[in-house]
Amino acid sequence: MHIEVSKGGLFLEIKEADLYAVTRLLNDQTRIAILEILMDGRFHTVSELAKYCKVKTNTASFHMTKLLEIGWLETHKQGRYRYYRLVDEQLAGLLEQLLILAPVKKHTTLMKSLEMERLIEARTCYNHLAGKLGVALLKYLCEQQLISRQKGHLIVTEKGLLFFRNWGIEVEKLQDPLCKDCLDWTERDFHLAGKLGNAIYQTFRDNGWIESHPTDRSVTLSVKGRNRLPFLI
């Protein structure tokens, strides 16, 4: 709750978090589908989101307006196109936690089942790696003592600094939060978030070690990636 008092002290203005506005926003399957797509951290047009969600463009536009009103999206206009993405990684993390709390639903179509299998194997969580691939990556980094857990915090070791430098990542130049645990909603285990998690994901993309799926936020290790990162297979 946030309280503001006028300079003259004539009135008291009380601002309280409107949780109902959030639950009302999430009470729509199309908006949920849009948010799940936007959890990849990339910019998308309304027409792209409409196609992915199998709804009309004006329907997707209506839902995007609702998400903008609550401050969950940022926009970028380029030429005649306007692009949208989630406002920050914190929101993506919150949505990931809600997925952990949600009951599991069964998919009755082959397409949905295959999509879910892809997401379980490897996907993006805003701009870091999640799914089995993300969890395996963090476990490897800890097992090799490249990252250590100290009093509940993840710390990059001296050995880790050299290791990540070989990947082209200058850890010393990254801002805080450097390393964060992010609880994975499919694996019920932790994957790596924070600025280092972001840098690793970007490095994997830039080097062609992972390939993104065109219609969802799943990724796969490329042939090049399998050769370069055999410990993740």
Side-chain angles (χ1 to χ4, degrees):
M1 182 180 294
H2 179 70
I3 300 177
E4 292 186 0
V5 181
S6 69
K7 289 184 178 180
L10 298 178
F11 66 89
L12 183 69
E13 182 180 353
I14 300 177
K15 295 181 179 180
E16 185 175 0
D18 188 357
L19 186 58
Y20 177 64
V22 175
T23 58
R24 184 174 55 203
L25 191 73
L26 295 175
N27 190 27
D28 185 277
Q29 190 59 50
T30 300
R31 280 199 287 271
I32 293 292
I34 289 173
L35 287 169
E36 288 182 338
I37 294 167
L38 292 174
M39 284 174 69
D40 66 3
R42 293 181 289 178
F43 280 104
H44 296 271
T45 65
V46 171
S47 58
E48 287 173 341
L49 294 167
K51 181 180 178 181
Y52 296 156
C53 297
K54 296 180 174 60
V55 296
K56 294 180 179 179
T57 303
N58 60 346
T59 300
S61 182
F62 166 79
H63 292 301
M64 298 302 284
T65 299
K66 293 295 183 182
L67 293 168
L68 280 167
E69 287 175 352
I70 204 171
W72 282 14
L73 302 181
E74 64 173 296
T75 67
H76 174 73
K77 194 174 187 304
Q78 186 165 307
R80 62 191 184 92
Y81 294 103
R82 186 172 294 278
Y83 296 84
Y84 301 82
R85 74 175 178 184
L86 290 185
V87 69
D88 57 31
E89 185 177 356
Q90 183 179 5
L91 176 57
L94 172 62
L95 294 171
E96 184 89 359
Q97 300 310 303
L98 288 176
L99 288 170
I100 292 174
L101 297 174
V104 177
K105 61 181 179 181
K106 294 182 179 180
H107 294 293
T108 57
T109 66
L110 178 60
M111 184 178 296
K112 275 294 183 182
S113 296
L114 292 174
E115 178 184 340
M116 192 62 209
E117 287 179 9
R118 290 195 301 268
L119 292 172
I120 290 172
E121 286 298 320
R123 65 183 184 276
T124 56
C125 178
Y126 198 68
N127 51 11
H128 55 265
L129 293 168
K132 290 181 179 179
L133 179 67
V135 170
L137 173 63
L138 180 56
K139 284 186 176 180
Y140 174 82
L141 296 176
C142 291
E143 288 171 357
Q144 298 300 311
Q145 298 181 346
L146 307 172
I147 289 178
S148 68
R149 294 185 183 277
Q150 299 178 15
K151 298 180 179 179
H153 298 284
L154 295 177
I155 307 295
V156 179
T157 65
E158 290 295 326
K159 181 180 177 183
L161 293 176
L162 295 174
F163 177 85
F164 293 120
R165 196 169 296 145
N166 288 331
W167 278 0
I169 300 173
E170 298 289 341
V171 175
E172 300 91 334
K173 296 181 180 179
L174 299 178
Q175 298 177 346
D176 289 330
L178 183 59
C179 299
K180 288 172 55 182
D181 274 325
C182 186
L183 187 58
D184 196 280
W185 70 274
T186 56
E187 298 307 295
R188 298 301 196 269
D189 204 343
F190 295 109
H191 58 249
L192 180 64
K195 298 302 181 183
L196 179 58
N198 300 350
I200 290 174
Y201 166 61
Q202 194 62 50
T203 297
F204 281 22
R205 283 193 63 190
D206 292 346
N207 287 297
W209 298 345
I210 56 173
E211 298 172 343
S212 300
H213 195 274
T215 62
D216 57 46
R217 59 191 177 102
S218 64
V219 298
T220 55
L221 277 176
S222 64
V223 173
K224 187 177 180 181
R226 287 174 177 271
N227 292 331
R228 185 67 175 79
L229 310 163
F231 53 86
L232 292 180
I233 299 176

